[in-house]
Amino acid sequence: MTTETLPTSEVFTSAVTLTPAEPVHFDLAFTAVTQPCPWPKAYGGDLVAQAAAAAMRSVTDGKTLHSMHSYFLRPADIGAEVRYEVEVLRDGRGYSTRQVRGYQNGKPLYVCLANFAAGEPGGTFRAEFTEVVPAPEDLPGSAVYLAGRSGGSMTEESKVYWSGGRGFDMRHVPGPVYLTVEGDQVPHQAVWLRPFDALRPVEGLTDAQRDLAALAYVCDYTILEPVLRVLGLPWARPGLVTASLDHAMWFHRPGPVDDWLLYVQEAVAADAGRGLGSGRFFTRDHRHLATVAQEGVIRPA
């Protein structure tokens, strides 16, 4: 791999770099561009992270994003502008609420509610993940795993994307589900992930806000994989169709994302062409940063 093609986290920071615009429907507006990917439509994490960035830029009194609840209404075009309109629903002493709608081609394609908290003294509890998993340094990255492999619907373009085009190094336990379901067909997995290089500053966001947007961005790549794993469906299965339907995320406490994070995931349900996955982000010293739940279409050929 040459210097020019080294994987970089800039794909994420480019995605969440917003341009202010004149609002048409609500109180504030921003535009952002979806990032390249080898599928027919844009990556859903672009929309979640861009909406999170838009909502955070509308809150100027120091409150911190603590939850998002989203619906994906239509697929987004790749490499195209999405307009995010922010409605200021409430600004209270302790909490603030925003609605964000994403528009493309004149139609709404994404909507979310985002809530912000000032924070206050209270009791502390954090979930623990006690299972012993291999260290990320002992696991192959996607590029190493995919080197020399082929099969199913995987193209050279998708192989390059899985290997280094997503901005984050990802290392699976028990193993990836790219070409086959590596390991047992169980309803759980874990993914170590880390940006390929140090995250760059993002205009309009503090570093702490950028890190929250990073979690919102990267969570969608693998959240349905435990459902695929338990159903025995690798990503490269010919004819497989997946699509995000709705998404919820809770941010419990701050933490840097430039080091390895363990994303612990499980399948919650699968039926009627839909699957629900849940996940938790932990730092290497076991701090529980965030929790995710997402439902998506899972349609085998």
Side-chain angles (χ1 to χ4, degrees):
M1 210 175 252
T2 66
T3 302
E4 290 73 27
T5 59
L6 283 174
T8 172
S9 63
E10 190 174 8
V11 63
F12 155 68
T13 50
S14 294
V16 295
T17 298
L18 309 182
T19 301
E22 285 297 318
V24 175
H25 304 285
F26 297 125
D27 300 298
L28 296 166
F30 302 91
T31 61
V33 176
T34 55
Q35 299 301 292
C37 68
W39 324 124
K41 293 297 179 179
Y43 167 55
D46 279 0
L47 306 183
V48 179
Q50 289 168 354
M56 286 189 286
R57 287 183 63 165
S58 76
V59 176
T60 58
D61 60 0
K63 295 189 185 77
T64 300
L65 178 66
H66 76 84
S67 68
M68 292 181 69
H69 298 269
S70 308
Y71 280 90
F72 300 88
L73 309 179
R74 294 178 174 86
D77 293 336
I78 298 168
E81 187 176 273
V82 179
R83 179 187 187 86
Y84 293 93
E85 295 258 353
V86 182
E87 181 179 16
V88 178
L89 294 178
R90 178 177 183 268
D91 276 321
R93 182 179 301 174
Y95 293 88
S96 294
T97 306
R98 301 291 188 263
Q99 178 185 203
V100 184
R101 290 190 187 181
Y103 295 86
Q104 195 177 74
N105 302 319
K107 296 179 179 180
L109 52 78
Y110 171 88
V111 61
C112 83
L113 289 175
N115 219 48
F116 295 78
E120 57 189 280
T124 297
F125 168 78
R126 65 186 191 189
E128 294 287 345
F129 181 71
T130 57
E131 184 177 337
V132 177
V133 299
E137 294 83 1
D138 297 330
L139 297 168
S142 299
V144 172
Y145 174 81
L146 290 167
R149 296 176 184 256
S150 61
S153 63
M154 186 181 72
T155 63
E156 282 303 310
E157 188 180 14
S158 62
K159 184 175 180 178
V160 169
Y161 184 71
W162 282 333
S163 296
R166 299 181 291 186
F168 285 74
D169 190 350
M170 301 184 196
R171 304 186 179 194
H172 286 70
V173 180
V177 293
Y178 297 130
L179 301 174
T180 61
V181 174
E182 290 281 321
D184 294 333
Q185 200 170 307
V186 293
H188 53 79
Q189 68 172 25
V191 181
W192 285 105
L193 55 88
R194 182 179 67 176
F196 280 118
D197 53 13
L199 295 180
R200 295 154 179 77
V202 175
E203 184 176 356
L205 299 179
T206 67
D207 287 352
Q209 290 173 326
R210 177 207 59 200
D211 288 355
L212 292 178
L215 293 180
Y217 170 84
V218 76
C219 72
D220 188 27
Y221 278 121
T222 58
I223 189 60
L224 293 180
E225 285 189 351
V227 183
L228 297 180
R229 183 180 296 278
V230 75
L231 296 178
L233 299 172
W235 285 115
R237 177 178 174 131
L240 175 67
V241 174
T242 64
S244 301
L245 292 172
D246 55 72
H247 175 279
M249 192 162 190
W250 297 266
F251 304 92
H252 308 304
R253 51 186 58 85
V257 300
D258 275 344
D259 195 7
W260 288 105
L261 297 177
L262 186 65
Y263 190 14
V264 179
Q265 305 165 332
E266 65 177 313
V268 178
D271 211 343
R274 301 187 309 277
L276 177 66
S278 67
R280 293 175 292 163
F281 284 99
F282 293 92
T283 62
R284 292 195 77 159
D285 60 357
H286 304 291
R287 278 185 295 160
H288 179 199
L289 300 185
T291 301
V292 184
Q294 182 163 309
E295 187 176 43
V297 171
I298 297 182
R299 187 180 299 144

mmCIF file of all heavy atoms in Angstrom, residues 178-213:
data_model
loop_
_atom_site.group_PDB
_atom_site.id
_atom_site.type_symbol
_atom_site.label_atom_id
_atom_site.label_comp_id
_atom_site.label_asym_id
_atom_site.label_seq_id
_atom_site.Cartn_x
_atom_site.Cartn_y
_atom_site.Cartn_z
ATOM 1 N N TYR A 178 -17.438 -11.369 6.701
ATOM 2 C CA TYR A 178 -17.370 -10.802 5.359
ATOM 3 C C TYR A 178 -17.740 -11.837 4.290
ATOM 4 O O TYR A 178 -18.681 -11.624 3.511
ATOM 5 C CB TYR A 178 -15.954 -10.274 5.074
ATOM 6 C CG TYR A 178 -15.519 -9.150 5.973
ATOM 7 C CD1 TYR A 178 -14.296 -9.200 6.633
ATOM 8 C CD2 TYR A 178 -16.316 -8.028 6.166
ATOM 9 C CE1 TYR A 178 -13.876 -8.174 7.455
ATOM 10 C CE2 TYR A 178 -15.907 -6.991 6.989
ATOM 11 C CZ TYR A 178 -14.689 -7.069 7.631
ATOM 12 O OH TYR A 178 -14.287 -6.053 8.453
ATOM 13 N N LEU A 179 -16.999 -12.935 4.238
ATOM 14 C CA LEU A 179 -17.181 -13.941 3.189
ATOM 15 C C LEU A 179 -17.904 -15.176 3.701
ATOM 16 O O LEU A 179 -18.689 -15.789 2.978
ATOM 17 C CB LEU A 179 -15.829 -14.345 2.610
ATOM 18 C CG LEU A 179 -15.020 -13.208 1.990
ATOM 19 C CD1 LEU A 179 -13.639 -13.705 1.596
ATOM 20 C CD2 LEU A 179 -15.741 -12.649 0.786
ATOM 21 N N THR A 180 -17.595 -15.571 4.895
ATOM 22 C CA THR A 180 -18.266 -16.665 5.586
ATOM 23 C C THR A 180 -18.460 -16.220 7.035
ATOM 24 O O THR A 180 -17.872 -15.221 7.469
ATOM 25 C CB THR A 180 -17.436 -17.961 5.559
ATOM 26 O OG1 THR A 180 -16.193 -17.722 6.237
ATOM 27 C CG2 THR A 180 -17.181 -18.418 4.130
ATOM 28 N N VAL A 181 -19.263 -16.961 7.777
ATOM 29 C CA VAL A 181 -19.414 -16.681 9.200
ATOM 30 C C VAL A 181 -18.288 -17.396 9.926
ATOM 31 O O VAL A 181 -18.335 -18.611 10.123
ATOM 32 C CB VAL A 181 -20.791 -17.133 9.707
ATOM 33 C CG1 VAL A 181 -20.877 -16.968 11.218
ATOM 34 C CG2 VAL A 181 -21.897 -16.327 9.021
ATOM 35 N N GLU A 182 -17.248 -16.653 10.286
ATOM 36 C CA GLU A 182 -16.110 -17.228 10.997
ATOM 37 C C GLU A 182 -16.521 -17.544 12.432
ATOM 38 O O GLU A 182 -17.111 -16.722 13.123
ATOM 39 C CB GLU A 182 -14.944 -16.243 10.994
ATOM 40 C CG GLU A 182 -14.295 -16.063 9.634
ATOM 41 C CD GLU A 182 -13.347 -17.195 9.294
ATOM 42 O OE1 GLU A 182 -12.630 -17.671 10.186
ATOM 43 O OE2 GLU A 182 -13.333 -17.607 8.127
ATOM 44 N N GLY A 183 -16.191 -18.716 12.913
ATOM 45 C CA GLY A 183 -16.542 -19.097 14.261
ATOM 46 C C GLY A 183 -17.938 -19.684 14.325
ATOM 47 O O GLY A 183 -18.577 -19.960 13.303
ATOM 48 N N ASP A 184 -18.432 -19.860 15.538
ATOM 49 C CA ASP A 184 -19.734 -20.470 15.735
ATOM 50 C C ASP A 184 -20.859 -19.528 15.304
ATOM 51 O O ASP A 184 -20.712 -18.303 15.315
ATOM 52 C CB ASP A 184 -19.934 -20.851 17.201
ATOM 53 C CG ASP A 184 -18.987 -21.955 17.649
ATOM 54 O OD1 ASP A 184 -18.567 -22.744 16.783
ATOM 55 O OD2 ASP A 184 -18.662 -22.001 18.842
ATOM 56 N N GLN A 185 -21.999 -20.132 14.968
ATOM 57 C CA GLN A 185 -23.177 -19.372 14.552
ATOM 58 C C GLN A 185 -23.947 -18.959 15.817
ATOM 59 O O GLN A 185 -24.998 -19.499 16.136
ATOM 60 C CB GLN A 185 -24.034 -20.253 13.630
ATOM 61 C CG GLN A 185 -25.006 -19.484 12.753
ATOM 62 C CD GLN A 185 -25.635 -20.388 11.711
ATOM 63 O OE1 GLN A 185 -24.923 -21.071 10.961
ATOM 64 N NE2 GLN A 185 -26.954 -20.406 11.661
ATOM 65 N N VAL A 186 -23.385 -17.967 16.520
ATOM 66 C CA VAL A 186 -23.905 -17.552 17.823
ATOM 67 C C VAL A 186 -24.484 -16.132 17.715
ATOM 68 O O VAL A 186 -24.130 -15.382 16.805
ATOM 69 C CB VAL A 186 -22.798 -17.600 18.888
ATOM 70 C CG1 VAL A 186 -22.365 -19.036 19.147
ATOM 71 C CG2 VAL A 186 -21.598 -16.749 18.469
ATOM 72 N N PRO A 187 -25.364 -15.743 18.658
ATOM 73 C CA PRO A 187 -26.008 -14.433 18.557
ATOM 74 C C PRO A 187 -25.218 -13.308 19.218
ATOM 75 O O PRO A 187 -25.808 -12.354 19.737
ATOM 76 C CB PRO A 187 -27.339 -14.671 19.287
ATOM 77 C CG PRO A 187 -27.005 -15.663 20.333
ATOM 78 C CD PRO A 187 -25.971 -16.577 19.716
ATOM 79 N N HIS A 188 -23.903 -13.390 19.202
ATOM 80 C CA HIS A 188 -23.115 -12.326 19.820
ATOM 81 C C HIS A 188 -21.731 -12.289 19.190
ATOM 82 O O HIS A 188 -21.254 -13.275 18.619
ATOM 83 C CB HIS A 188 -23.012 -12.533 21.336
ATOM 84 C CG HIS A 188 -22.511 -13.897 21.721
ATOM 85 N ND1 HIS A 188 -21.177 -14.253 21.685
ATOM 86 C CD2 HIS A 188 -23.181 -15.000 22.134
ATOM 87 C CE1 HIS A 188 -21.039 -15.499 22.061
ATOM 88 N NE2 HIS A 188 -22.233 -15.996 22.344
ATOM 89 N N GLN A 189 -21.109 -11.131 19.291
ATOM 90 C CA GLN A 189 -19.741 -10.949 18.834
ATOM 91 C C GLN A 189 -19.193 -9.695 19.496
ATOM 92 O O GLN A 189 -19.916 -8.945 20.163
ATOM 93 C CB GLN A 189 -19.661 -10.805 17.306
ATOM 94 C CG GLN A 189 -20.278 -9.526 16.765
ATOM 95 C CD GLN A 189 -20.009 -9.337 15.268
ATOM 96 O OE1 GLN A 189 -19.773 -10.273 14.516
ATOM 97 N NE2 GLN A 189 -20.047 -8.099 14.830
ATOM 98 N N ALA A 190 -17.899 -9.463 19.316
ATOM 99 C CA ALA A 190 -17.266 -8.224 19.758
ATOM 100 C C ALA A 190 -16.350 -7.742 18.641
ATOM 101 O O ALA A 190 -15.814 -8.542 17.879
ATOM 102 C CB ALA A 190 -16.479 -8.433 21.050
ATOM 103 N N VAL A 191 -16.201 -6.434 18.561
ATOM 104 C CA VAL A 191 -15.340 -5.832 17.546
ATOM 105 C C VAL A 191 -14.454 -4.794 18.224
ATOM 106 O O VAL A 191 -14.950 -3.843 18.844
ATOM 107 C CB VAL A 191 -16.161 -5.158 16.427
ATOM 108 C CG1 VAL A 191 -15.223 -4.569 15.368
ATOM 109 C CG2 VAL A 191 -17.143 -6.127 15.790
ATOM 110 N N TRP A 192 -13.138 -5.004 18.145
ATOM 111 C CA TRP A 192 -12.210 -3.953 18.533
ATOM 112 C C TRP A 192 -12.152 -2.941 17.391
ATOM 113 O O TRP A 192 -12.052 -3.326 16.218
ATOM 114 C CB TRP A 192 -10.813 -4.520 18.756
ATOM 115 C CG TRP A 192 -10.599 -5.287 20.018
ATOM 116 C CD1 TRP A 192 -10.491 -6.640 20.144
ATOM 117 C CD2 TRP A 192 -10.440 -4.751 21.331
ATOM 118 N NE1 TRP A 192 -10.280 -6.986 21.452
ATOM 119 C CE2 TRP A 192 -10.240 -5.849 22.211
ATOM 120 C CE3 TRP A 192 -10.442 -3.453 21.861
ATOM 121 C CZ2 TRP A 192 -10.046 -5.681 23.576
ATOM 122 C CZ3 TRP A 192 -10.252 -3.292 23.229
ATOM 123 C CH2 TRP A 192 -10.059 -4.383 24.063
ATOM 124 N N LEU A 193 -12.195 -1.661 17.713
ATOM 125 C CA LEU A 193 -12.104 -0.649 16.652
ATOM 126 C C LEU A 193 -11.325 0.562 17.143
ATOM 127 O O LEU A 193 -11.318 0.895 18.331
ATOM 128 C CB LEU A 193 -13.494 -0.259 16.143
ATOM 129 C CG LEU A 193 -14.543 0.230 17.138
ATOM 130 C CD1 LEU A 193 -14.445 1.729 17.347
ATOM 131 C CD2 LEU A 193 -15.935 -0.123 16.648
ATOM 132 N N ARG A 194 -10.674 1.194 16.180
ATOM 133 C CA ARG A 194 -9.852 2.370 16.456
ATOM 134 C C ARG A 194 -9.678 3.145 15.150
ATOM 135 O O ARG A 194 -9.555 2.528 14.079
ATOM 136 C CB ARG A 194 -8.479 1.939 16.987
ATOM 137 C CG ARG A 194 -7.545 3.078 17.352
ATOM 138 C CD ARG A 194 -6.218 2.574 17.899
ATOM 139 N NE ARG A 194 -5.436 1.872 16.872
ATOM 140 C CZ ARG A 194 -4.210 1.405 17.062
ATOM 141 N NH1 ARG A 194 -3.629 1.527 18.248
ATOM 142 N NH2 ARG A 194 -3.569 0.794 16.090
ATOM 143 N N PRO A 195 -9.663 4.478 15.173
ATOM 144 C CA PRO A 195 -9.384 5.224 13.944
ATOM 145 C C PRO A 195 -8.026 4.827 13.373
ATOM 146 O O PRO A 195 -7.094 4.521 14.120
ATOM 147 C CB PRO A 195 -9.393 6.688 14.396
ATOM 148 C CG PRO A 195 -10.145 6.706 15.678
ATOM 149 C CD PRO A 195 -9.902 5.375 16.325
ATOM 150 N N PHE A 196 -7.922 4.840 12.051
ATOM 151 C CA PHE A 196 -6.655 4.477 11.427
ATOM 152 C C PHE A 196 -5.533 5.448 11.783
ATOM 153 O O PHE A 196 -4.363 5.083 11.796
ATOM 154 C CB PHE A 196 -6.812 4.422 9.902
ATOM 155 C CG PHE A 196 -7.452 3.149 9.418
ATOM 156 C CD1 PHE A 196 -8.660 3.178 8.744
ATOM 157 C CD2 PHE A 196 -6.851 1.921 9.632
ATOM 158 C CE1 PHE A 196 -9.252 2.005 8.286
ATOM 159 C CE2 PHE A 196 -7.432 0.748 9.189
ATOM 160 C CZ PHE A 196 -8.639 0.795 8.509
ATOM 161 N N ASP A 197 -5.890 6.701 12.047
ATOM 162 C CA ASP A 197 -4.919 7.670 12.528
ATOM 163 C C ASP A 197 -5.650 8.656 13.431
ATOM 164 O O ASP A 197 -6.867 8.574 13.592
ATOM 165 C CB ASP A 197 -4.194 8.379 11.366
ATOM 166 C CG ASP A 197 -5.141 8.991 10.341
ATOM 167 O OD1 ASP A 197 -6.359 9.097 10.619
ATOM 168 O OD2 ASP A 197 -4.685 9.381 9.254
ATOM 169 N N ALA A 198 -4.906 9.563 14.043
ATOM 170 C CA ALA A 198 -5.501 10.489 15.009
ATOM 171 C C ALA A 198 -6.621 11.301 14.355
ATOM 172 O O ALA A 198 -6.476 11.775 13.210
ATOM 173 C CB ALA A 198 -4.424 11.410 15.571
ATOM 174 N N LEU A 199 -7.724 11.448 15.073
ATOM 175 C CA LEU A 199 -8.841 12.203 14.528
ATOM 176 C C LEU A 199 -8.472 13.673 14.385
ATOM 177 O O LEU A 199 -7.898 14.282 15.291
ATOM 178 C CB LEU A 199 -10.067 12.066 15.437
ATOM 179 C CG LEU A 199 -10.676 10.673 15.552
ATOM 180 C CD1 LEU A 199 -11.886 10.705 16.490
ATOM 181 C CD2 LEU A 199 -11.094 10.142 14.185
ATOM 182 N N ARG A 200 -8.821 14.246 13.248
ATOM 183 C CA ARG A 200 -8.539 15.645 12.975
ATOM 184 C C ARG A 200 -9.587 16.539 13.630
ATOM 185 O O ARG A 200 -10.710 16.096 13.886
ATOM 186 C CB ARG A 200 -8.533 15.872 11.457
ATOM 187 C CG ARG A 200 -7.413 15.122 10.747
ATOM 188 C CD ARG A 200 -7.771 14.818 9.302
ATOM 189 N NE ARG A 200 -6.682 14.110 8.622
ATOM 190 C CZ ARG A 200 -6.413 12.805 8.781
ATOM 191 N NH1 ARG A 200 -7.163 12.060 9.577
ATOM 192 N NH2 ARG A 200 -5.409 12.250 8.127
ATOM 193 N N PRO A 201 -9.248 17.794 13.888
ATOM 194 C CA PRO A 201 -10.265 18.729 14.376
ATOM 195 C C PRO A 201 -11.393 18.871 13.356
ATOM 196 O O PRO A 201 -11.170 18.755 12.141
ATOM 197 C CB PRO A 201 -9.497 20.042 14.549
ATOM 198 C CG PRO A 201 -8.059 19.647 14.645
ATOM 199 C CD PRO A 201 -7.913 18.421 13.788
ATOM 200 N N VAL A 202 -12.599 19.120 13.839
ATOM 201 C CA VAL A 202 -13.761 19.343 12.980
ATOM 202 C C VAL A 202 -14.312 20.732 13.289
ATOM 203 O O VAL A 202 -14.655 21.023 14.442
ATOM 204 C CB VAL A 202 -14.852 18.279 13.206
ATOM 205 C CG1 VAL A 202 -16.095 18.602 12.386
ATOM 206 C CG2 VAL A 202 -14.319 16.892 12.842
ATOM 207 N N GLU A 203 -14.378 21.573 12.281
ATOM 208 C CA GLU A 203 -14.854 22.938 12.472
ATOM 209 C C GLU A 203 -16.264 22.929 13.056
ATOM 210 O O GLU A 203 -17.143 22.202 12.599
ATOM 211 C CB GLU A 203 -14.847 23.686 11.137
ATOM 212 C CG GLU A 203 -15.228 25.153 11.264
ATOM 213 C CD GLU A 203 -15.130 25.904 9.950
ATOM 214 O OE1 GLU A 203 -14.684 25.302 8.951
ATOM 215 O OE2 GLU A 203 -15.505 27.088 9.919
ATOM 216 N N GLY A 204 -16.462 23.733 14.090
ATOM 217 C CA GLY A 204 -17.771 23.857 14.715
ATOM 218 C C GLY A 204 -18.019 22.898 15.844
ATOM 219 O O GLY A 204 -19.021 23.016 16.553
ATOM 220 N N LEU A 205 -17.111 21.912 16.046
ATOM 221 C CA LEU A 205 -17.259 20.942 17.121
ATOM 222 C C LEU A 205 -16.038 20.975 18.030
ATOM 223 O O LEU A 205 -14.911 21.143 17.560
ATOM 224 C CB LEU A 205 -17.409 19.515 16.575
ATOM 225 C CG LEU A 205 -18.601 19.208 15.676
ATOM 226 C CD1 LEU A 205 -18.552 17.745 15.232
ATOM 227 C CD2 LEU A 205 -19.930 19.508 16.364
ATOM 228 N N THR A 206 -16.255 20.816 19.329
ATOM 229 C CA THR A 206 -15.130 20.581 20.220
ATOM 230 C C THR A 206 -14.612 19.161 19.992
ATOM 231 O O THR A 206 -15.282 18.333 19.362
ATOM 232 C CB THR A 206 -15.557 20.744 21.686
ATOM 233 O OG1 THR A 206 -16.488 19.690 22.014
ATOM 234 C CG2 THR A 206 -16.211 22.100 21.924
ATOM 235 N N ASP A 207 -13.445 18.863 20.510
ATOM 236 C CA ASP A 207 -12.930 17.504 20.370
ATOM 237 C C ASP A 207 -13.854 16.498 21.041
ATOM 238 O O ASP A 207 -14.050 15.382 20.530
ATOM 239 C CB ASP A 207 -11.524 17.405 20.962
ATOM 240 C CG ASP A 207 -10.466 18.081 20.101
ATOM 241 O OD1 ASP A 207 -10.804 18.500 18.965
ATOM 242 O OD2 ASP A 207 -9.316 18.195 20.562
ATOM 243 N N ALA A 208 -14.439 16.871 22.186
ATOM 244 C CA ALA A 208 -15.359 15.967 22.874
ATOM 245 C C ALA A 208 -16.610 15.722 22.029
ATOM 246 O O ALA A 208 -17.110 14.588 21.952
ATOM 247 C CB ALA A 208 -15.736 16.534 24.233
ATOM 248 N N GLN A 209 -17.121 16.757 21.387
ATOM 249 C CA GLN A 209 -18.284 16.583 20.508
ATOM 250 C C GLN A 209 -17.927 15.751 19.280
ATOM 251 O O GLN A 209 -18.708 14.903 18.844
ATOM 252 C CB GLN A 209 -18.819 17.955 20.087
ATOM 253 C CG GLN A 209 -19.481 18.732 21.198
ATOM 254 C CD GLN A 209 -19.846 20.144 20.780
ATOM 255 O OE1 GLN A 209 -19.143 20.778 19.981
ATOM 256 N NE2 GLN A 209 -20.947 20.649 21.305
ATOM 257 N N ARG A 210 -16.747 15.981 18.720
ATOM 258 C CA ARG A 210 -16.285 15.163 17.589
ATOM 259 C C ARG A 210 -16.224 13.695 17.979
ATOM 260 O O ARG A 210 -16.602 12.812 17.191
ATOM 261 C CB ARG A 210 -14.920 15.650 17.139
ATOM 262 C CG ARG A 210 -14.275 14.845 16.013
ATOM 263 C CD ARG A 210 -12.771 14.942 16.076
ATOM 264 N NE ARG A 210 -12.246 14.458 17.356
ATOM 265 C CZ ARG A 210 -11.042 14.777 17.829
ATOM 266 N NH1 ARG A 210 -10.236 15.574 17.153
ATOM 267 N NH2 ARG A 210 -10.632 14.279 19.000
ATOM 268 N N ASP A 211 -15.762 13.406 19.194
ATOM 269 C CA ASP A 211 -15.654 12.014 19.631
ATOM 270 C C ASP A 211 -17.032 11.373 19.784
ATOM 271 O O ASP A 211 -17.205 10.182 19.475
ATOM 272 C CB ASP A 211 -14.882 11.935 20.939
ATOM 273 C CG ASP A 211 -13.396 12.216 20.756
ATOM 274 O OD1 ASP A 211 -12.956 12.384 19.596
ATOM 275 O OD2 ASP A 211 -12.672 12.276 21.772
ATOM 276 N N LEU A 212 -18.030 12.123 20.250
ATOM 277 C CA LEU A 212 -19.397 11.599 20.305
ATOM 278 C C LEU A 212 -19.900 11.300 18.891
ATOM 279 O O LEU A 212 -20.524 10.260 18.644
ATOM 280 C CB LEU A 212 -20.327 12.598 20.990
ATOM 281 C CG LEU A 212 -20.119 12.833 22.482
ATOM 282 C CD1 LEU A 212 -21.098 13.887 22.988
ATOM 283 C CD2 LEU A 212 -20.276 11.549 23.270
ATOM 284 N N ALA A 213 -19.629 12.217 17.970
ATOM 285 C CA ALA A 213 -20.040 11.990 16.583
ATOM 286 C C ALA A 213 -19.326 10.767 16.000
ATOM 287 O O ALA A 213 -19.906 10.040 15.185
ATOM 288 C CB ALA A 213 -19.751 13.225 15.731
#
